[in-house]
Amino acid sequence: MTTDRMPDLVVAHGLAVDATHIRPAHIVVDRGRIAAVLDAAEPVPAATRVIDAAGRVVIPGGVDGHCHVAQITGRYRTLDDYELTSRAALWGGTTTIMDFGIPRDRTETPLAAARAKLELARRARCDVALHACVIDWDTTVPDQLAELADLGIRSVKVYTTNRGTTMADDDTVLKVMREMVRLDGLTYVHAEHDAMIVDCTERHAAAGTAGIRHLHRTRPELAEEASVREVLAVAEYTGAAVYFVHQSTPGAVDLVGAARARGLDVHSETCPHYLALDERVYSAEFPEWFACCPPMRSPQTVAALRKRFAIGAVDTIASDHSCYDLAQKRERSDDVRHMPHGLPGVETRMPVTFTTLSDALGAPSDPAVLQRFVEVFSAAPARINGLPGKGRITVGYDADLVVFDPDRTRAVAAAELHMGTDFSPFDGHELRGWPQIVVARGRVVLDDNGFHDPGPTGRFVPRDGYRAGGPVSRHTDSRDGNYVFS
């Protein structure tokens, strides 16, 4: 390799794993990007810093396509901010998070909600991309979505449930999909059939069984799968590209797979808790640890979902990170209709996912395990969401790297995590795949000496169109070519 200057960093002798290839390599980093990927048989180039990754795996930094930061929903606000959550993300091997600009109520517009998140994200330690959200449709929404697309916010989330707060009606869902087709964007969907859930929950409330121990009975699998069917029909009608968040049943995944086989541009996401936990947690000592929607499913459903995840039927895994604490959870744990739902998970996504895959597919060091892990953890979230420079170990991409020992295990201790809450749904679980070294755009933020806070160096990443791809030069800073907050 020839260069005019000594590079900033070399990660040497590691097993570099991409979704498409795996090889021992020296990864050369300069000015925040990957400058070269050299065969490990070659001499280690001189650099300002050299990290010896011998005997360990090097993967692209994680991309978490589904996080909720500083989110206000009804009377509850998550207890985090961008500084806190982005630090926790880096601790967990995630170097890019994707948050949502969800209107706090029906008086806030989608554009205002997204702009508010852009301002808050200036405190981020890792890179940030955004999804918009539409709750109510009016004649101003198309222009708002066009302006958001110009900012590089190329996806819109709609909820088919949560009546009275975030739910969009059928007309709004269809109109959002039409606009996303026009703008070459992606429609994110929280798919649960609202009428079924409302009826089921009200019946449980009338019977005195609407507390947290009964959450899994109030939101049946059929409600998720019925909503997925309806959304897929609208996607087929409009030609929209659709991404289903937090799918929790094999039936929902199969519906998406069948639609994709018919030629639809549709994608499945699941979350670590739907792979590692089942409905028996609601009979455990602390059922409030597991208040989320959809809820945990039966052991049989979880086993079937894990099989589909392992063989590639699920595209991505995301944390659905929501940072409430136990006081908020317990305030109305007597009635699931009124308690806040969502789990902290941005820091534990990597080890839970890697443990799940290695348990399902074979030895942790098996190339099939490592490459499937990189696909769902980094590559596919970046590719599907049009994140330039993310999700691969290749020249010119951002130097987002994670070094770990696939055989090393550690138990989750909630008190030792960094997500700003007082519990973890995985507390006590013995997991493998914990990051040991994390590099975020060329900065070593985690190593054997601990965490090195880079300050508010995270940047907003404008996204490419879903189908168009290509450069995003209009969103770059002419001084150094890196992404900046708009």
Side-chain angles (χ1 to χ4, degrees):
M1 184 189 73
T2 60
T3 181
D4 295 332
R5 65 191 292 275
M6 182 178 290
D8 298 322
L9 174 69
V10 173
V11 179
H13 299 296
L15 184 66
V17 181
D18 238 328
T20 57
H21 63 268
I22 180 169
R23 59 170 170 157
H26 309 314
I27 302 168
V28 182
V29 173
D30 196 43
R31 294 187 175 97
R33 293 202 168 101
I34 297 172
V37 182
L38 307 176
D39 191 282
E42 296 184 25
V44 177
T48 302
R49 180 174 180 182
V50 175
I51 292 174
D52 185 5
R56 293 183 286 183
V57 171
V58 188
I59 65 170
V63 177
D64 193 337
H66 187 170
C67 292
H68 297 279
V69 185
Q71 184 61 52
I72 298 172
T73 304
R75 56 189 292 268
Y76 291 101
R77 183 197 184 281
T78 59
L79 299 178
D80 60 345
D81 56 24
Y82 273 95
E83 179 177 347
L84 186 65
T85 295
S86 61
R87 283 176 175 171
L90 292 171
W91 271 102
T94 289
T95 52
T96 305
I97 60 173
M98 302 185 73
D99 187 20
F100 296 83
I102 301 175
R104 67 181 63 192
D105 55 41
R106 282 175 153 75
T107 66
E108 186 174 36
T109 67
L111 181 59
R115 286 196 176 279
K117 284 297 183 78
L118 281 173
E119 187 61 34
L120 293 175
R122 292 179 184 275
R123 300 297 301 166
R125 272 55 180 167
C126 70
D127 285 353
V128 177
L130 285 179
H131 312 285
C133 179
V134 174
I135 299 172
D136 288 320
W137 189 267
D138 62 48
T139 58
T140 72
V141 171
D143 286 343
Q144 291 184 59
L145 297 183
E147 187 169 345
L148 288 163
D150 286 342
L151 290 172
I153 301 172
R154 307 298 294 254
S155 54
V156 173
K157 185 176 185 181
V158 290
Y159 291 80
T160 66
T161 189
N162 300 340
R163 190 180 305 183
T165 55
T166 57
M167 179 179 169
D169 63 25
D170 290 345
D171 289 340
T172 297
V173 171
L174 188 149
K175 290 174 181 176
V176 165
M177 286 193 191
R178 283 207 181 280
E179 289 303 304
M180 288 295 96
V181 171
R182 180 176 70 87
L183 297 169
D184 192 18
L186 182 62
T187 304
Y188 264 53
V189 182
H190 175 137
E192 289 183 285
H193 195 284
D194 189 71
M196 288 185 187
I197 290 170
V198 168
D199 181 74
C200 188
T201 305
E202 287 180 348
R203 288 173 177 270
H204 276 274
T209 57
I212 182 59
R213 292 193 179 277
H214 304 278
L215 175 62
H216 55 300
R217 298 187 180 96
T218 66
R219 302 179 88 96
E221 293 183 20
L222 180 60
E224 181 175 348
E225 292 167 18
S227 183
V228 170
R229 288 190 187 94
E230 291 182 358
V231 171
L232 286 171
V234 180
E236 188 164 11
Y237 175 70
T238 59
V242 173
Y243 179 109
F244 289 92
V245 298
H246 52 49
Q247 293 203 301
S248 67
T249 77
V253 171
D254 290 347
L255 287 166
V256 174
R260 187 161 50 229
R262 298 198 309 273
L264 275 66
D265 290 316
V266 289
H267 305 280
S268 289
E269 168 202 284
T270 195
C271 303
H273 40 280
Y274 298 124
L275 300 172
L277 306 171
D278 63 53
E279 66 187 20
R280 290 173 292 185
V281 298
Y282 299 115
S283 300
E285 184 178 3
F286 302 112
E288 62 273 15
W289 286 10
F290 311 101
C292 60
C293 299
M296 310 312 168
R297 302 303 191 183
S298 71
Q300 295 78 17
T301 293
V302 172
L305 182 66
R306 285 168 67 104
K307 288 181 180 178
R308 283 159 176 77
F309 181 70
I311 65 174
V314 178
D315 296 285
T316 69
I317 192 157
S319 67
D320 194 6
H321 175 80
S322 296
C323 192
Y324 300 105
D325 70 1
L326 289 176
Q328 291 172 304
K329 294 282 189 181
R330 288 168 175 161
E331 184 178 336
R332 288 307 311 272
S333 61
D334 63 309
D335 191 332
V336 295
R337 295 172 297 178
H338 303 297
M339 71 183 298
H341 293 276
L343 305 177
V346 73
E347 188 173 352
T348 51
R349 182 175 71 111
M350 179 172 172
V352 177
T353 304
F354 187 74
T355 301
T356 298
L357 280 174
S358 56
D359 287 348
L361 291 178
S365 299
D366 188 314
V369 173
L370 295 171
Q371 289 190 273
R372 175 72 182 134
F373 172 63
V374 168
E375 171 69 5
V376 297
F377 182 69
S378 305
R383 184 176 65 249
I384 293 168
N385 285 289
L387 288 168
K390 302 296 184 183
R392 294 180 60 192
I393 300 178
T394 194
V395 173
Y397 270 55
D398 291 342
D400 297 332
L401 303 168
V402 180
V403 180
F404 72 104
D405 179 347
D407 295 308
R408 182 177 178 181
T409 64
R410 191 179 95 208
V412 178
E416 297 174 2
L417 298 176
H418 308 87
M419 291 182 285
T421 186
D422 53 358
F423 77 102
S424 166
F426 306 109
D427 196 39
H429 287 231
E430 189 76 24
L431 303 175
R432 61 178 68 89
W434 293 91
Q436 296 170 304
I437 296 169
V438 177
V439 180
R441 273 193 296 105
R443 296 180 176 89
V444 179
V445 295
L446 180 69
D447 60 16
D448 293 340
N449 295 316
F451 187 76
H452 311 284
D453 188 348
T457 55
R459 294 180 178 180
F460 171 65
V461 184
R463 292 154 60 194
D464 296 337
Y466 176 78
R467 295 183 176 90
V472 287
S473 57
R474 68 188 183 278
H475 298 298
T476 61
D477 183 333
S478 60
R479 293 168 300 176
D480 63 7
N482 287 322
Y483 310 117
V484 295
F485 281 102
S486 301

